[in-house]
Each structure stands twice: as structure tokens, then as C-alpha cells.
Amino acid sequence: MDMNLANKLTMLRVVMIPVFLVVLFLAPVPMNRYIAVLIFIVASLTDMLDGKIARKYNLVSNFGKFMDPLADKLLVMAALVSMVALKDLAAWVVIVILAREFTITGFRTLAMEANIVMAASWWGKVKTTVQMVMIPVVLLKLPFGFMPVVETALIWLSVFFTIFSGADYILKNKQVLLG
């Protein structure tokens, strides 16, 4: 396995997940949510950075193709499940997002078995971006009067793009189900 810079950034994101969780659940620390959000943002930025580096310097690898989306899902799911435990997010939101991720992962597995290459969807990138913006905003609980509206809008946008991107992915690759 070639641990090039892009792959190291992906692994850094994975390593940051337990750090994010430990800091988030440190109740006695008054700034724990702010520090946890900072860790989450840095981890999220490594997602953008590792892909750019891999493409620019031709460092695309099978390890990266597998681990990068897995690291993204682990980071987002760890945050979302934690937000349910902290009573910051309704469980149904996480269930919808988890259901989409499992469905698309299964769909990709079927495609691989049929030797069908499925490109990443632009809508999937929008979904991930909206989720990675929603999570820090909701976790921060900023004390401005308009923030509950912003938080609610971001949660609903996350749910919408989760469902829409999943449906788009399946419709554009329906030959997987036929074959």
C-alpha cells in the first residue's frame, strides 16, 4: 500500500474521529463543543484537500478510492450519532442518512460485481457539503435569534439532498439493478 500524501490525509481524517468524539463528550470542559467543531472542520477540510492532491499529482490509488469515501462516512456518521446522543438532532434524520448510505454502498457493490464503473455524483458532493456545514452549525448552538431557523433549514436541506442524491444515483445507474 502506497501511503502518499493524499492517503495520509485520508488516514488523518480517520484518526481525528475518535479525537473529535472524546473532545465533544468532555462535559467538564466549557469549550468542548467549540474545540470539537474545530476538529470536525479540519477533518472535513482534509476531505477536500486529499482529493485535490490525489488528482493534481496523479496519486489516485485503490486505497484512496476505498478509504476516502469511507472516512467521510465515518466522520459524518460519528458526528450525527453523537448529535442524537446530545439531543441536538432527531434520530429520524440520522436514520434517513444512514439508510441512504447503506443503500448506495450496496448499490456500488452490485455495480462492482457487474463490472460497472459508477462515477461519483455531483449531487452526492452537494449532500456531503451540506451535511458538513450543518453539523458544526448545529453543534455550536450559537446564541443568535435567527440561528434556530438556520439550523432547521440546514437539517432539512441535509435530508433533502440525502434523499435526492440517493435517488439520482440509482436512477442514473439503474442498469445495475437490471443486470
Side-chain angles (χ1 to χ4, degrees):
M1 169 180 60
D2 180 24
M3 281 308 267
N4 58 48
L5 180 57
N7 291 341
K8 287 177 183 175
L9 286 170
T10 298
M11 290 311 299
L12 175 62
R13 187 161 61 257
V14 172
V15 169
M16 291 176 83
I17 295 167
V19 176
F20 162 75
L21 293 171
V22 167
V23 171
L24 183 61
F25 285 102
L26 284 176
V29 180
M31 299 294 286
N32 67 321
R33 279 186 182 244
Y34 296 104
I35 297 167
V37 165
L38 181 62
I39 293 166
F40 180 87
I41 290 169
V42 169
S44 296
L45 291 174
T46 67
D47 176 34
M48 189 174 55
L49 191 57
D50 66 9
K52 287 184 186 220
I53 289 171
R55 285 184 295 278
K56 182 175 182 179
Y57 296 103
N58 197 26
L59 299 174
V60 175
S61 66
N62 287 335
F63 176 83
K65 288 179 194 176
F66 172 76
M67 273 309 292
D68 182 62
L70 179 60
D72 297 343
K73 286 171 185 39
L74 290 172
L75 176 64
V76 170
M77 291 304 142
L80 293 175
V81 170
S82 298
M83 292 166 71
V84 171
L86 294 168
K87 300 188 183 340
D88 290 341
L89 192 61
W92 72 265
V93 172
V94 179
I95 291 167
V96 168
I97 294 170
L98 275 170
R100 185 261 189 213
E101 298 306 333
F102 281 121
T103 301
I104 297 304
T105 299
F107 200 67
R108 282 182 179 225
T109 302
L110 287 174
M112 280 192 311
E113 288 176 3
N115 291 321
I116 297 172
V117 177
M118 295 173 60
S121 159
W122 187 82
W123 290 112
K125 293 181 187 304
V126 170
K127 175 226 22 139
T128 300
T129 302
V130 171
Q131 289 173 355
M132 288 185 169
V133 169
M134 179 267 294
I135 289 166
V137 168
V138 172
L139 278 174
L140 284 175
K141 295 186 171 289
L142 295 173
F144 306 115
F146 60 90
M147 285 312 293
V149 173
V150 171
E151 291 171 11
T152 301
L154 286 169
I155 291 167
W156 280 105
L157 284 170
S158 291
V159 169
F160 172 78
F161 284 116
T162 294
I163 294 168
F164 184 83
S165 65
D168 178 65
Y169 208 87
I170 290 170
L171 289 173
K172 284 184 177 168
N173 297 286
K174 60 183 174 270
Q175 75 274 14
V176 171
L177 297 174
L178 304 173

